[in-house]
C-alpha cells in the first residue's frame, strides 16, 4: 500500500523543474548558459527541468543564488520526494550523508551505491526478489544518482571505500556491465577526495568478517556508524560501539591493497574482460 502522506516523487520533481525553468527564462538564460554558471552539465540541468532528476542540495543552493529566486526554489525543493526510491531504514543515513565531512564505507556484498554505474544499479536491483515495478526501479535509480553527487559536492567530503575483490569478480549483470563499472571505479579513484582500496581475495587477516559497515563524521565532528542487513538498517551512535567500528575499519585499511595497487588491480581486471 502506498503511504499517502509521502509526496508524489514524479509530481514534486516536475514542480521543481517547472519553477527552475520559470526563473531561468526570467533571467534570460538558456539551459546551456545556466549549466555553465551552476558548474553542472547541460544534461543535468535539462534532466532537472524535465522532472527526471532529483536536484541535490548543492544544485538547489547554486540555482537559488544564481537565479535570485527569492527563496522559491529552496521552498519547492523541500517538497521534492527525494526519499522515494530509498529504503525506509536508509533514509536517515542518507540525510546525514548530505552534510557529512567524511564518510568511510566497507562493502563485501555489492559495489557501494555511491560508486555504481546505472547499468550496474539496474542489474543489482533486478536480481534481488521481489522484482520492482518499472516506476519503482526508476525511482531507486534516480535516488542513487542524486546521492552520487556527493562525490563532487561543495564543500567537499572526504570519502574512503574498501571493496572486496570478490564483489568485482562476480561480474554482476554482464561482462559489458562489469567493464563499464571498472572504468567508472578507476575514474572515481582519481578524484582527489576519494580513496578506493580493494580487499584482496586472499587475505588471511581480515578485520571485517562481521560484515559491511559505514562510518560518518558530522560537521560537528561527531562520528556515527551504520550497518545493514536483510530489510533492516541500524544507525550506531553509542561512543563505544562507534569506536569499535572505527578500530575495525582502520585495521582493514592496513589489510587492503593501497590505492595505487588497487588501481592496478582494477586496470588488470578491465583488461582481462
Amino acid at each position: 500500500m502506498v503511504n499517502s502522506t509521502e509526496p508524489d516523487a514524479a509530481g514534486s520533481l516536475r514542480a521543481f523543474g517547472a519553477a527552475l525553468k520559470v526563473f531561468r527564462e526570467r533571467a534570460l538564460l538558456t539551459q546551456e548558459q545556466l549549466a555553465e554558471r551552476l558548474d553542472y552539465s547541460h544534461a543535468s540541468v535539462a534532466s532537472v527541468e524535465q522532472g527526471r532528476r532529483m536536484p541535490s542540495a548543492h544544485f538547489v543552493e547554486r540555482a537559488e543564488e544564481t537565479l535570485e529566486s527569492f527563496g522559491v526554489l529552496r521552498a519547492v525543493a523541500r517538497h521534492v520526494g527525494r526519499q522515494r526510491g530509498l529504503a525506509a531504514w536508509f533514509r536517515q543515513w542518507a540525510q546525514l550523508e548530505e552534510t557529512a565531512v567524511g564518510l568511510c564505507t566497507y562493502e563485501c556484498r555489492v559495489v557501494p551505491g555511491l560508486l555504481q554505474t546505472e547499468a550496474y544499479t539496474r542489474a543489482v536491483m533486478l536480481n534481488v526478489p521481489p522484482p520492482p515495478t518499472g516506476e519503482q526501479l526508476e525511482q531507486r535509480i534516480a535516488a542513487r544518482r542524486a546521492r552520487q553527487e556527493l562525490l563532487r559536492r561543495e564543500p567537499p567530503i572526504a570519502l574512503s571505500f574498501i571493496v572486496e575483490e570478490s564483489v568485482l569478480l562476480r561480474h554482476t549483470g554482464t561482462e559489458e556491465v562489469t567493464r563499464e563499472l571498472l572504468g567508472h571505479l578507476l575514474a572515481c579513484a582519481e578524484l582527489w577526495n576519494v580513496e578506493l582500496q580493494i580487499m584482496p581475495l586472499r587475505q588471511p587477516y581480515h578485520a571485517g568478517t562481521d560484515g559491511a559497515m559505514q562510518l560518518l563524521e558530522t560537521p560537528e565532528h561527531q562520528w556515527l556508524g551504520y550497518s545493514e542487513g536483510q530489510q533492516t538498517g541500524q544507525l550506531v551512535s553509542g561512543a563505544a560501539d562507534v569506536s569499535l567500528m572505527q578500530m575495525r575499519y582502520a585495521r582493514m585499511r592496513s589489510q587492503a591493497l593501497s590505492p595505487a595497487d588497487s588501481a592496478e588491480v582494477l586496470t588488470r581486471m578491465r583488461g582481462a574482460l
Side-chain angles (χ1 to χ4, degrees), residues 58-243:
H58 177 253
F59 183 100
V60 173
E61 286 304 310
R62 291 282 295 165
E64 177 70 42
E65 295 168 6
T66 301
L67 298 175
E68 299 179 352
S69 62
F70 314 107
V72 172
L73 291 179
R74 287 195 191 101
V76 177
R78 283 196 290 269
H79 298 283
V80 171
R82 67 171 53 251
Q83 298 303 316
R84 298 292 290 272
L86 293 177
W89 57 85
F90 186 74
R91 292 173 184 172
Q92 183 180 11
W93 186 258
Q95 290 175 339
L96 290 168
E97 282 182 338
E98 292 188 3
T99 57
V101 297
L103 181 66
C104 301
T105 302
Y106 164 63
E107 258 299 350
C108 54
R109 305 162 301 180
V110 295
V111 170
L114 290 174
L115 300 178
Q116 293 179 7
T117 62
E118 182 171 328
Y120 181 87
T121 297
R122 286 182 182 276
V124 169
M125 292 180 176
L126 291 173
N127 277 335
V128 180
T133 66
E135 181 181 1
Q136 288 172 333
L137 180 61
E138 294 307 317
Q139 285 178 351
R140 294 174 189 177
I141 290 172
R144 190 150 302 181
R145 189 185 300 122
R147 282 185 62 228
Q148 290 173 347
E149 293 186 10
L150 191 68
L151 274 70
R152 295 173 174 81
R153 189 198 70 189
E154 292 292 342
I157 175 173
L159 296 161
S160 169
F161 299 95
I162 301 174
V163 182
E164 290 287 341
E165 184 179 2
S166 58
V167 169
L168 302 172
L169 293 173
R170 190 173 299 135
H171 293 185
T172 298
T174 62
E175 288 193 352
E176 182 179 350
V177 169
T178 303
R179 186 182 299 108
E180 180 192 22
L181 173 67
L182 292 170
H184 179 68
L185 291 176
L186 285 166
C188 289
E190 291 180 356
L191 297 174
W192 73 270
N193 60 317
V194 174
E195 182 179 79
L196 174 59
Q197 294 178 261
I198 301 300
M199 183 66 77
L201 197 59
R202 292 188 178 182
Q203 173 51 280
Y205 306 103
H206 195 322
T209 53
D210 270 6
M213 67 174 183
Q214 297 189 62
L215 288 160
L216 177 151
E217 184 180 7
T218 71
E220 295 75 34
H221 305 296
Q222 176 189 4
W223 282 90
L224 300 169
Y226 178 79
S227 62
E228 192 171 86
Q230 296 281 340
Q231 303 296 307
T232 60
Q234 180 181 7
L235 179 68
V236 181
S237 58
D241 294 328
V242 173
S243 176

